[in-house]
Amino acid sequence: EDQVTQSPEALRLQEGESSSLNCSYTVSGLRGLFWYRQDPGKGPEFLFTLYSAGEEKEKERLKATLTKKESFLHITAPKPEDSATYLCAVQATGTASKLTFGTGTRLQVTL
Amino acid sequence: DAGITQSPRHKVTETGTPVTLRCHQTENHRYMYWYRQDPGHGLRLIHYSYGVKDTDKGEVSDGYSVSRSKTEDFLLTLESATSSQTSVYFCAISTNWEGAEAFFGQGTRLTVV
């Protein structure tokens, strides 16, 4: 059974204080690992897809990396507008694009 | 933003009544999904569709049925709502069978009393 565990559950940072979110996964055969951002009362917003170990993707202050067992979402010099819940999901091969999600990391960035 | 509209956005219903949630897309994507989101569980797949009239079950399909008579519409029906189906429901769409990202709608908050 595919599993995704995210840590920490919640993280509070001051503006400019860099940190990383962790996503550990077990999957029979990884087709892709996905990062989403979710704001309160809204649907998840797609951020990145990673397909193989060693791959990295960047978008503004966010950088996602992937190993064979986990993925990290690095947040560099965060701003208050980066406050959101960040979700990680995996897709196994042969599963018709079905995603298995973690429970998310709730990030709060304060001034 | 991907053209996905969910309706209604909020609904309160009584136990035992049927409920239908609608997902409408304007992107002409082939694959559509229904997820539910509950505290402590993350998003879980209920049903998905890989074409008109082609649907299959996800991991939490008991008590739910779906229909897709047109590419743009994917309906989720709770035949007889129960309190355990109180949740936030999200529709998603995708272009490919594997490897493609999914785009989500804004969600429907359903309360069963």
Side-chain angles (χ1 to χ4, degrees):
Chain A
E1 183 179 330
D2 303 334
Q3 286 192 327
V4 178
T5 303
Q6 292 188 247
S7 62
E9 287 188 15
L11 181 62
R12 183 171 175 151
L13 301 173
Q14 287 196 324
E15 185 175 14
E17 180 186 2
S18 301
S19 188
S20 297
L21 312 182
N22 178 262
C23 171
S24 298
Y25 65 91
T26 55
V27 64
S28 52
L30 182 68
R31 182 63 184 91
L33 185 141
F34 302 81
W35 281 99
Y36 286 85
R37 168 192 170 127
Q38 187 174 24
D39 293 302
K42 296 193 174 183
E45 176 188 343
F46 171 73
L47 293 174
F48 304 110
T49 309
L50 301 167
Y51 293 106
S52 58
E55 189 174 1
E56 299 181 351
K57 294 273 181 73
E58 284 190 67
K59 180 180 180 179
E60 296 180 356
R61 295 176 292 282
L62 301 177
K63 179 180 178 180
T65 62
L66 181 65
T67 72
K68 289 186 177 180
K69 293 185 178 181
E70 57 192 349
S71 177
F72 292 94
L73 186 64
H74 307 278
I75 304 176
T76 302
K79 298 181 178 182
E81 53 261 43
D82 295 321
S83 298
T85 295
Y86 290 86
L87 303 173
C88 173
V90 296
Q91 185 188 110
T93 54
T95 58
S97 286
K98 291 180 285 186
L99 297 173
T100 299
F101 281 87
T103 53
T105 293
R106 190 171 63 255
L107 174 66
Q108 183 181 13
V109 182
T110 59
L111 293 171
Chain B
D1 289 348
I4 309 171
T5 304
Q6 291 186 232
S7 59
R9 292 293 315 279
H10 302 271
K11 186 171 182 65
V12 180
T13 192
E14 292 187 349
T15 298
T17 60
V19 177
T20 296
L21 309 183
R22 182 184 184 230
C23 177
H24 178 78
Q25 61 145 329
T26 58
E27 305 295 325
N28 202 34
H29 285 358
R30 179 178 176 183
Y31 303 98
M32 299 185 75
Y33 311 84
W34 278 107
Y35 287 85
R36 61 178 288 176
Q37 187 173 38
D38 304 288
H41 287 280
L43 284 148
R44 292 178 292 174
L45 182 66
I46 304 170
H47 280 281
Y48 64 99
S49 170
Y50 45 95
V52 173
K53 300 191 188 305
D54 292 323
T55 65
D56 206 347
K57 297 179 180 180
E59 63 177 300
V60 290
S61 60
D62 287 349
Y64 302 94
S65 62
V66 290
S67 66
R68 193 169 177 200
S69 58
K70 297 184 289 185
T71 299
E72 57 266 36
D73 290 326
F74 193 32
L75 303 180
L76 177 70
T77 298
L78 290 66
E79 302 292 345
S80 177
T82 67
S83 59
S84 64
Q85 294 176 311
T86 292
S87 186
V88 180
Y89 292 85
F90 288 100
C91 175
I93 63 175
S94 181
T95 55
N96 289 325
W97 185 248
E98 287 188 352
E101 62 271 21
F103 298 98
F104 285 79
Q106 294 284 65
T108 294
R109 181 174 293 277
L110 176 68
T111 303
V112 184
V113 298

